Amino acid sequence: MNGTQEELTGASRFRPGWLLLPASVWWMVFFVMPLGILAAISFLRPGSPVEWSLTAGNYGRLLDPLLLKVFLRSLVMAAAATAVCLAIGYPMAYFMARQPPRLQKLLYFLTLIPLWANSLALTYAWMVLLRSDGVLERGLRWAGAIGPADDLRLLYTPASVVLGLVYWYLPFMVYPLYASLEKFDWRLLDAAMDLGATRWTALHRVMLPLTMPGIIGGCLLVFIPALGNFVVPQLMGGAKQALIGNVIQERFLSQPQDWPLGSALAMTMMVLVTAAVWAYFRYAREEHALG
Amino acid sequence: MAEARSGVAAEGAEEAPMDRLLRGLLALNAVSAYAFLYLPIAVLILFSFSASRYASVWGGFSFRWYIHLFRDSAVRDALANSLFIAGLASVLATVMGTLLALGLERRRGHRHAARWDAAVTLPILIPDIVQGISLLLFFVLSFSALERLLGWRPTLGRTTVILAHTAFAISYVAVVVRARLAGMSRTLEEAAMDLGATEWQVLHRVTLPLVWPGVLGGGLLAFTLSLDEFVITFFTTGPGATTLPIQVWSMVRRGVTPEINALSSLILILSIVLVTLSLAVQRKR
């Protein structure tokens, strides 16, 4: 928008370089160094809490069948939550993007609010709704839909964990989807259909590819944090639905502690996340260059 | 995906019954999605005003549990801690984040601009649990180092939480302020320079007043984020530094009670008001 402005006047020449200094120092100390320590500890032997000798064994220990089971469960749960978010979020973003501008702004704002609201309190709200003899069950009983002694056991199931994750991350999916649908040129669909494409083909071959950065971005924003979420499984999943986030947390705060293993788990997660995000940005840039 | 098709109907000249059905489905999906997002909040707030001793039972309207809440000294302490931490962390983050945004704006188009952008987004992207435990390890190890060197061992508490919250909040402030800067014309700054203003005067008298809504919006956002933050706080807090979310966590683990309904409602309303305020301020011209 102000690109031309910039070219005319040159980048604002009066912003000294020291402006970057305070934040950079803070990050070095309280963001980069901690991550460095995490990386270092993931290569130390477990002791009390660590033994100062190097090993790569912690990463080997990640292949423990018990851990793999948790890892697999986390992947499945996070993938399920991502799929549900996409299935609800795409039509939702589509609906938003087709409204008049003022309504669009309002709808967008309404999806933003739960994103910033306290997620712990939101998860708790679902517990009040879903638990045995909770609001939902009492409501159904009052309406005569279930008998007085029926217990639906809605909470503490894999489904309730997925529901909690979907609720927590749905706005994260809608946000990038809406951003790419909002920019989408709707005339392209008409053009495709005028040229003889069916509606399905037009959506599938024109709209879907053009909104792919939004889809991938949304999926990453849901999948990655869902993988490390330990609040939802602990509150809505009970003891049997532990995910990878719970295992990491326990290695540091519960007995027996195992810092190196916990660090190796966290490092693996961080590397996966960084790789995914990096790939996404690369992809988005290439798309941009082509478009 | 099936519902997504219907919107095309709006573009077509004639509206077949099938199109109308699909369009209806699309609207239905949106309405149910918003209901899904807001119903739990509404139910929670409604039941926080229930007089009943049970969390999921309606027993008539009453402020009983809010009064109960304010008499609970643990909750009062947690509120005080939360406000203190969020206040200090958001001020620190706002100052550093704003300076960072101004500094980055100057570097736009430079060779390392993309790397700086990545550095700004990393604290937003890296999962909170990874940031939380890495900070825990960092604090514990540097504290034992301090003990060996100086014979003084600090403990985890409000200070460590403030340091941690500031670290991630800087990024959010920088992103908000940069958005504001991006939409700003450079002419006024240039004019001030041409008229002989020093760098500092331009920053202080021209740039800052112009980006002020972004700074205030970013600061409010940082305050809200710190107030709501659970995971990083969970790992970096210590005895005597319980924040509101930590208090909710420890109460919920003992069971669902009407008191938690009231406390969670209070936190939710507080964060919704603050975020609305932040967004409104950011949009101010």
Side-chain angles (χ1 to χ4, degrees), chain A residues 39-47 51 53-65 67 251 258-265 267-268:
Chain A
I41 288 185
S42 77
F43 288 105
L44 294 180
R45 273 177 220 287
E51 224 170 83
S53 61
L54 287 175
T55 171
N58 301 312
Y59 288 90
R61 286 198 290 151
L62 297 183
L63 300 175
D64 173 342
L67 269 181
R251 296 287 76 74
D258 191 339
W259 287 15
L261 184 68
S263 304
L265 271 170
M267 280 303 291
T268 311

Side-chain angles (χ1 to χ4, degrees), chain A residues 58 61-74 244 247-248 251 261 265:
Chain A
N58 301 312
R61 286 198 290 151
L62 297 183
L63 300 175
D64 173 342
L66 266 173
L67 269 181
L68 282 180
K69 217 172 122 189
V70 179
F71 220 93
L72 196 67
R73 189 192 295 141
S74 309
I244 209 71
V247 179
I248 297 180
R251 296 287 76 74
L261 184 68
L265 271 170

Side-chain angles (χ1 to χ4, degrees), chain A residues 86-104:
Chain A
L86 185 63
I88 303 173
Y90 201 95
M92 197 176 163
Y94 184 102
F95 178 81
M96 275 164 71
R98 308 290 324 239
Q99 302 308 311
R102 282 190 73 86
L103 188 58
Q104 264 189 44

Side-chain angles (χ1 to χ4, degrees), chain B residues 151-198:
Chain B
W152 167 69
R153 188 186 175 92
T155 49
L156 292 170
R158 293 205 293 195
T159 313
T160 47
V161 177
I162 291 170
L163 297 173
H165 282 194
T166 307
F168 74 81
I170 291 175
S171 287
Y172 287 90
V173 175
V175 168
V176 171
V177 175
R178 286 194 78 189
R180 180 85 194 177
L181 275 168
M184 205 179 88
S185 155
R186 297 276 162 279
T187 20
L188 280 175
E189 294 175 327
E190 293 294 335
M193 282 301 262
D194 291 344
L195 291 171
T198 63

